[in-house]
Amino acid sequence: MVGPGSSLGDLDGKVALVTGAGSGIGYAIAERFAREGAAVAINYLDRGDEAQALARDLAAAGGKATALEADVSDAVAVTSLVAKIVERFGRLDVLVNNAGIEKSQPLLEIDESSWDRTLAVNLKGPFLCLQTVARQMKESGGGSIVNISSIHEDFPFPGYTPYAAAKGGLRMLMRNAALELAPLGIRVNNIAPGAIATPINAATLADPRKVQRLQEIVPLGRMGKPEQVAEVALFLASRRSSYVTGSTYYVDGGIIRYAEPL
Ligand code: NAP
């Protein structure tokens, strides 16, 4: 029986870049794509050991993978990253803009540097990667770009205004790019995760009251796993979604629809 996690070679012969793939959601996506036959470029910034170990594990399992350092908010670094991937694997068919950061600060206390850094990594980074990769995809006849945004591309997030502003921007970046790139055969979609158990949520995971509260307000009654986001990323990256562009897919256990009865 074919079930979640089973492999059908959906990405055989494809080359994929996953940004921020040394941990969490990006790590799970890189693993899943490699299992489906893709050659995977595992981008990282600080987690070099984890990214290199993942590349070694995927290669040992018969896959093709390479770990590459780059700060996605740096245009020169992104150009060099994409050039290295094309040099190594010959082409690029799939981009997953996954790298992201968040910092809790009340609106009246946000300092300029944390605003700038959050917008640089979470919005400028996906733009730079999308533009650089799309130029490459134009040469090879198309591809699929998946941005990992957040339910906060739409749903307010008090205490995290730069993060929500960046993810809201990523929603419109996706929609514009989907229109401009469609004639080139490039599809662009977002995944909006809800509460997924990853290092970015370390503080929440360490607080049983917050975990309990999440379980109460998520209609499916639990936090999500990175692998559950990876399944939707696989769908959007593969030919199975060949008529899908300009959409956001929520992977959130229904939290975006949460409402209390009167
Ligand atoms: P995570 O484990 O903290 O992963 C974030 C990754 O981003 C890290 O591997 C980090 O790499 C990378 N990164 C940060 N700045 C970077 C930069 N300048 N250049 C390259 N890579 C950079 O958390 P996660 O939950 O998997 O987050 C992945 C994405 O999902 C983020 O965009 C996040 O906003 C989104 N998301 C997560 C949730 C959730 O509940 N977990 C919900 C909604 C959306 P290094 O460690 O190597 O620096």
Side-chain angles (χ1 to χ4, degrees), residues 18-243:
V18 185
T19 67
S23 66
I25 292 169
Y27 187 103
I29 292 172
E31 256 192 329
R32 189 73 185 92
F33 282 12
R35 204 143 35 89
E36 290 297 326
V40 183
I42 300 158
N43 160 252
Y44 65 91
L45 184 57
D46 292 328
R47 287 186 174 89
D49 291 346
E50 291 88 336
Q52 301 286 357
L54 176 58
R56 276 196 306 276
D57 289 351
L58 295 178
K64 286 185 190 167
T66 185
L68 296 166
E69 182 187 351
D71 182 336
V72 296
S73 70
D74 177 337
V76 174
V78 168
T79 302
S80 158
L81 170 69
V82 171
K84 282 179 194 157
I85 296 165
V86 174
E87 191 184 311
R88 169 89 188 256
F89 296 123
R91 52 189 291 125
L92 237 181
D93 305 286
V94 178
L95 163 67
V96 181
N97 268 321
N98 167 77
I101 54 172
E102 71 175 35
K103 182 176 174 185
S104 171
Q105 270 183 324
L107 181 68
L108 299 186
E109 291 168 24
I110 297 165
D111 56 284
E112 187 180 355
S113 66
S114 63
W115 173 273
D116 285 349
R117 186 62 186 156
T118 304
L119 271 286
V121 176
N122 293 7
L123 184 55
K124 182 180 163 189
F127 160 69
L128 291 172
C129 292
L130 177 148
Q131 186 189 54
T132 310
V133 169
R135 286 175 178 153
Q136 186 60 42
M137 288 174 170
K138 180 182 174 190
E139 301 305 313
S140 54
S144 174
I145 296 174
V146 182
N147 304 306
I148 308 300
S149 68
S150 166
I151 55 168
H152 302 297
E153 72 164 49
D154 193 41
F155 195 55
F157 197 14
Y160 293 84
T161 297
Y163 182 84
K167 296 297 187 179
L170 189 51
R171 179 180 60 187
M172 288 312 299
L173 172 63
M174 176 275 287
R175 291 180 181 180
N176 267 36
L179 295 185
E180 290 199 38
L181 300 179
L184 304 177
I186 300 170
R187 299 183 296 105
V188 190
N189 293 285
N190 279 11
I191 294 177
I196 311 296
T198 71
I200 215 171
N201 285 322
T204 301
L205 290 164
D207 183 339
R209 280 174 313 152
K210 288 188 175 170
V211 173
Q212 164 83 27
R213 178 69 186 137
L214 268 173
Q215 286 165 352
E216 285 163 11
I217 64 174
V218 174
L220 288 181
R222 59 187 188 274
M223 291 183 78
K225 298 177 187 163
E227 294 74 19
Q228 292 168 320
V229 181
E231 291 296 327
V232 180
L234 173 61
F235 167 72
L236 290 172
S238 77
R239 282 181 303 272
R240 288 174 189 273
S241 59
S242 59
Y243 200 55

